[in-house]
Structure formats: structure tokens, C-alpha cells
Amino acid sequence: PARAAGARRARARCVVIVAMAFAFADVIVLRVTMPARLEASSVDGLLRALEGRARSRFPLPDAPLRRALGLAERVCSHLPRVPDTCLYRSLARFALLSAHGRAPRFVMGLRRGTSDVEGHAWVELDGDVFGEPLEEDFVITYSHPVHA
């Protein structure tokens, strides 16, 4: 019985590791292909398409999902010709979270109280900013879905 339980735990860890590898690869592919996808579609159309992607066969819990995303984003930040802006990071986060059964909200806004026009994109999950801190006060100009 103890040996069987150990084998089950080992299999479960292997499933999580494989699912993390798939999530990591998914983010890399999303980030590499996102400029072309965005050029071919509106932001709204792209977000609807990203929501409609196939669901992961092995949805990850939060901690391994965040770990896979963080590793992939670090790799992408060093890839030539892969934009590393808040827009592309947020689109990939939205797609990954949707594929893993979450209900993210993609948000774009303008910085409040400045004469310069400065925009930002981010993802919210359960009402909280996901993936990177949001240190400034922004006026929301677009969100998908409109209400979280």
C-alpha cells in the first residue's frame, strides 16, 4: 500500500511536470506568433480566438502554472524579434489562463493625471492583477470580457 501510494504520487508529479512543459511551450509559441496574429485581427477578435482555443488536457494548479509562465516569459525576453511589451505578455497570459480553465480579464488603460498619453495592458484574475505589478493609476479604456 505505501509503495503503491508512492508510485501514484510519482505519477502525479510527472503529470504536473509534463503539463508545465506544455504550458511553457504554449507561451513561447503564443509570444512568437502573437505579432502576426494581432496584425491579422482586431484586439477583440484575437481575444475571442484565444478564449476559444482548446482547453489543456491537464489544467495546472496556480503555483505550477505561474512557474511555467514565469520561465517562458524570461526566455521570451531574450528572444530576438519577439516583442516584450505589456500588450504581448498580457495576450499570452490571457490565452494560457483561458486554456487552463481560468476566467481572466484582459485590460488596457491610460495613465491617469499626465499630459503624455501612456498606455498599459494587463490581465486580471479574480479581480486581482495577474503576472506583474500594476504600480500606477490607470483609467480603463478597454476590457475583455467587459465585466469580470
Side-chain angles (χ1 to χ4, degrees):
R3 194 168 165 181
R8 280 193 300 276
R9 282 192 302 275
R11 275 195 299 275
R13 278 194 304 271
C14 286
V15 168
V16 168
I17 290 168
V18 169
M20 285 177 66
F22 278 112
F24 172 87
D26 192 24
V27 172
I28 300 288
V29 169
L30 284 163
R31 290 287 302 279
V32 167
T33 62
M34 201 62 73
R37 295 174 103 177
L38 188 55
E39 190 173 308
S41 179
S42 66
V43 170
D44 200 52
L46 177 56
L47 288 164
R48 283 194 308 274
L50 294 173
E51 272 179 322
R53 292 181 336 132
R55 298 286 183 237
S56 173
R57 289 183 57 208
F58 305 104
L60 284 167
D62 284 345
L65 187 63
R66 286 176 187 270
R67 201 169 311 127
L69 177 64
L71 289 170
E73 287 184 344
R74 277 195 294 273
V75 168
C76 286
S77 72
H78 298 289
L79 294 177
R81 292 186 292 277
V82 174
D84 191 30
T85 66
C86 58
L87 175 64
Y88 293 103
R89 288 190 306 271
S90 295
L91 288 167
R93 289 174 187 153
F94 179 87
L96 184 70
L97 289 167
S98 295
H100 283 264
R102 308 312 196 284
R105 180 180 181 218
F106 175 88
V107 185
M108 292 192 303
L110 295 174
R111 186 181 309 273
R112 188 184 309 265
T114 67
S115 59
D116 296 333
V117 176
E118 293 182 48
H120 188 52
W122 65 94
V123 170
E124 295 176 353
L125 187 61
D126 300 324
D128 295 321
V129 175
F130 178 88
E132 62 187 71
L134 185 63
E135 299 171 3
E136 300 294 330
D137 190 21
F138 289 89
V139 175
I140 294 174
T141 58
Y142 174 85
S143 68
H144 180 92
V146 174
H147 301 290

